[in-house]
């Protein structure tokens, strides 16, 4: 009788940052975060297509990376918490700022926005990563900050 053999492959985790620490932009408030995030959105589609963009920060609130997580339709897009956290862990991020746009221009968070923010905050807590803010951008210059509204 032959026993099935199983091969387990060894994984190696390597971290090689592609940035220089002295050139990192520091986030000090929601306005600064919103202005920086807005640069990652497509100006031509911000009024018609929802997107999700995530900032990853070190423990000094310096931006170590940005991730364009998803593009959706006119009224929704996917937020995969596992993908966000996998990038946070790989980049050794201490904090996260989540953002998405509302093509309608309405800056009031939906119930789905609030639920997802709460879920991400709880997941981050398990990994000792801080969800610093969730910012909703509108076409033009408007934004909503969960932190400024004290709902985070």
């Amino acid at each position: 009788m032959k026993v099935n053999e199983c091969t387990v492959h060894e994984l190696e985790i390597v971290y090689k940052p592609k940035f220089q620490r002295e050139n990192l932009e520091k986030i000090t408030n929601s306005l600064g975060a919103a202005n920086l995030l807005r640069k990652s959105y497509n100006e031509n589609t911000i009024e018609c297509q929802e997107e999700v963009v995530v900032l990853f920060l070190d423990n000094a609130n310096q931006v170590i990376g940005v991730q364009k997580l998803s593009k959706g339709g006119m009224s929704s897009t996917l937020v995969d918490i596992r993908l966000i956290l996998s990038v946070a862990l790989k980049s050794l991020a201490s904090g996260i700022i989540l953002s998405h746009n509302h093509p309608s221009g309405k800056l009031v968070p939906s119930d789905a926005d609030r639920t997802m923010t709460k879920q991400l905050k709880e997941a981050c807590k398990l990994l000792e990563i801080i969800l610093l803010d969730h910012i909703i951008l509108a076409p033009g210059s408007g934004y909503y900050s969960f932190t400024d509204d004290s709902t985070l």
Side-chain angles (χ1 to χ4, degrees), residues 46-48 50 74-75 101-108 137-139:
I46 196 167
E47 291 186 56
C48 63
E50 274 202 25
M74 293 171 56
S75 60
N101 64 307
H102 278 181
S104 67
K106 294 180 181 177
L107 290 173
V108 178
L137 299 174

Side-chain angles (χ1 to χ4, degrees), residues 3 15 18 25 29 43 49 60 65 77-78 89-90 100 110 112 118-119 121 128 134 139 150:
V3 177
Y15 179 67
K18 296 181 179 179
E25 184 151 355
N29 56 42
E43 233 178 83
Q49 186 176 25
T77 190
L78 181 65
L89 290 170
K90 182 156 179 142
H100 78 283
S110 67
K118 184 183 273 188
Q119 289 172 343
K121 184 177 181 180
E128 297 180 10
H134 178 178
S150 300

Side-chain angles (χ1 to χ4, degrees), residues 89-102:
L89 290 170
K90 182 156 179 142
S91 65
L92 302 178
S94 298
I96 294 171
I97 298 177
L98 176 70
S99 74
H100 78 283
N101 64 307
H102 278 181

Side-chain angles (χ1 to χ4, degrees), residues 33 49 65 76 87 91 93 111 130 143:
Q49 186 176 25
S76 68
V87 173
S91 65
D111 288 342
I130 301 168
Y143 75 95

